[in-house]
Amino acid sequence: MKAVITGETDELIGINLRDNGGAEHIIDIRKSDGQITAHNQDGYPDKAAERTHSEGEHVGHARKYAQYYIAQETDYDTIPWDLNADRFADVRQALQALSTDDIDHFFGDLLEQSLSHYRDDPDVDVGETTRPHELPAEMIGSDNAVRYKQEIYLDDTGAIESVSGIGIEYYVARGDRTTTWHGDSPDRDPDASLDVVPAPLIDPVSFRDYLDYNLRCQIRDCYLMRGMEPPEQYRVLGHGQYRFTGKYENFDLYPPYHDFQADIPGYSHEFRPDLPITWAELRGMTDPTQSGSLYDQIKSTLFSR
């Protein structure tokens, strides 16, 4: 991507950029909220329905990059909150500073909701775990298709001030998902929103690390969705924001970044939770000559209280 600011009025700022496909875009953005008020380009059909997936993504990249570029070059806050990698990085730092009691205070219900999916799994010691919110009756498909959301709000010092209730995202028809929210949230944009699938993590610190890794993947998504290669520390594999997973699965423009087993040069799966034993001890428990998977060899240690 290459861009240049071409001018501004009291309300708008103009930008000219060339996307990764070589097409030129002329975009006007409102300074106050980052909304795009005009967009002309010379490389793709004007009607979105007539564009290929890749052409549509190039147009989307140009719009998001324009918002990002203006925010970088001026004092205007033009990046949507849900694509703001800097905010997500601040939330990651706040997460990493939490004590065990703080993790339980802010994310205890989310941990319980996640673990409730393993109540019938004899290999996961869920203890007295209950399900804070029952899954919606209109949900179709298996429990494994559910995702959970929780918004995070920082205070002026960069610490976590509050969180929203839990959002349950599920299928109501083939290809049609919706989200039901429980609880209240502050009347302002969050600084980040977690977007996770249930995981058999019992220890609060390990669960916190799981949430932190989701945000790390979301930061990767922020860069990819504006046509940029992420910085090295964010070239990671795994689920970020679910809304981009379908693109990674189905669009030729993208490798499957959501797949932690994918072979993408320069990218790796780096989720390493804080475990109740050391990595040296964990390696000592495994024996590649034994029958059964490595998971079978270590699950009693990782998933027991």
Side-chain angles (χ1 to χ4, degrees):
M1 291 278 192
K2 294 182 179 180
V4 61
I5 293 174
T6 55
E8 62 180 290
T9 67
D10 289 342
E11 295 183 357
L12 304 176
I13 187 165
I15 185 171
N16 182 291
L17 66 84
R18 193 167 296 277
D19 69 26
N20 294 332
E24 183 181 16
H25 301 257
I26 300 172
I27 299 173
D28 288 342
I29 294 179
R30 195 158 57 211
K31 297 175 182 177
S32 60
D33 58 8
Q35 290 296 309
I36 294 174
T37 62
H39 182 182
N40 296 297
Q41 49 80 30
D42 66 0
Y44 315 107
D46 289 330
K47 294 183 179 180
E50 297 176 357
R51 300 171 190 150
T52 66
H53 286 153
S54 292
E55 289 172 340
E57 288 303 290
H58 283 308
V59 172
H61 291 169
R63 295 168 70 89
K64 295 178 181 69
Y65 185 82
Q67 293 169 318
Y68 165 79
Y69 184 83
I70 290 174
Q72 296 298 304
E73 298 297 319
T74 72
D75 293 329
Y76 305 123
D77 185 9
T78 53
I79 303 176
W81 74 264
D82 55 359
L83 284 172
N84 195 322
D86 290 341
R87 282 197 194 183
F88 294 173
D90 290 341
V91 174
R92 289 191 66 211
Q93 186 173 0
L95 272 174
Q96 293 160 8
L98 294 180
S99 67
T100 301
D101 288 343
D102 290 335
I103 298 169
D104 182 66
H105 172 70
F106 290 118
F107 305 108
D109 281 355
L110 185 59
L111 173 57
E112 292 278 302
Q113 191 77 25
S114 173
L115 268 180
S116 71
H117 287 257
Y118 297 88
R119 290 179 297 190
D120 299 324
D121 189 330
D123 297 321
V124 182
D125 180 8
V126 301
E128 301 299 320
T129 293
T130 60
R131 176 167 284 175
H133 307 291
E134 289 303 321
L135 302 182
E138 69 269 26
M139 184 185 83
I140 67 168
S142 71
D143 288 7
N144 294 332
V146 171
R147 297 185 71 91
Y148 292 113
K149 299 177 181 291
Q150 190 163 29
E151 296 171 343
I152 301 176
Y153 300 79
L154 302 183
D155 63 20
D156 292 339
T157 70
I160 295 178
E161 179 179 25
S162 62
V163 297
S164 71
I166 294 174
I168 304 175
E169 184 179 3
Y170 55 96
Y171 283 104
V172 292
R174 184 178 178 85
D176 185 12
R177 296 175 70 91
T178 191
T179 302
T180 297
W181 285 91
H182 298 270
D184 300 322
S185 61
D187 187 21
R188 59 185 174 92
D189 286 341
D191 292 283
S193 180
L194 301 165
D195 190 344
V196 296
V197 295
L201 295 169
I202 292 170
D203 181 72
V205 175
S206 297
F207 187 69
R208 183 275 313 278
D209 293 344
Y210 177 60
L211 304 182
D212 175 73
Y213 190 75
N214 172 247
L215 289 178
R216 191 177 173 193
C217 292
Q218 289 196 43
I219 293 174
R220 172 206 66 203
D221 294 341
C222 291
Y223 285 93
L224 294 172
M225 287 303 110
R226 50 184 176 242
M228 302 172 67
E229 186 73 9
E232 186 174 354
Q233 64 176 315
Y234 299 118
R235 295 175 192 173
V236 291
L237 301 174
H239 288 287
Q241 293 189 34
Y242 178 78
R243 59 181 173 149
F244 303 131
T245 297
K247 297 183 178 186
Y248 299 154
E249 286 181 335
N250 301 309
F251 291 5
D252 292 339
L253 186 64
Y254 302 109
Y257 295 105
H258 67 292
D259 183 355
F260 68 88
Q261 294 181 315
D263 183 12
I264 304 174
Y267 286 76
S268 59
H269 182 248
E270 297 182 6
F271 175 47
R272 300 291 187 270
D274 187 0
L275 300 176
I277 60 175
T278 67
W279 285 101
E281 291 172 325
L282 189 63
R283 285 193 294 270
M285 295 172 55
T286 61
D287 182 355
T289 65
Q290 288 186 18
S291 60
S293 68
L294 293 178
Y295 169 79
D296 290 333
Q297 296 179 44
I298 65 176
K299 63 187 177 184
S300 62
T301 298
L302 296 186
F303 304 140
S304 298
R305 296 175 188 272

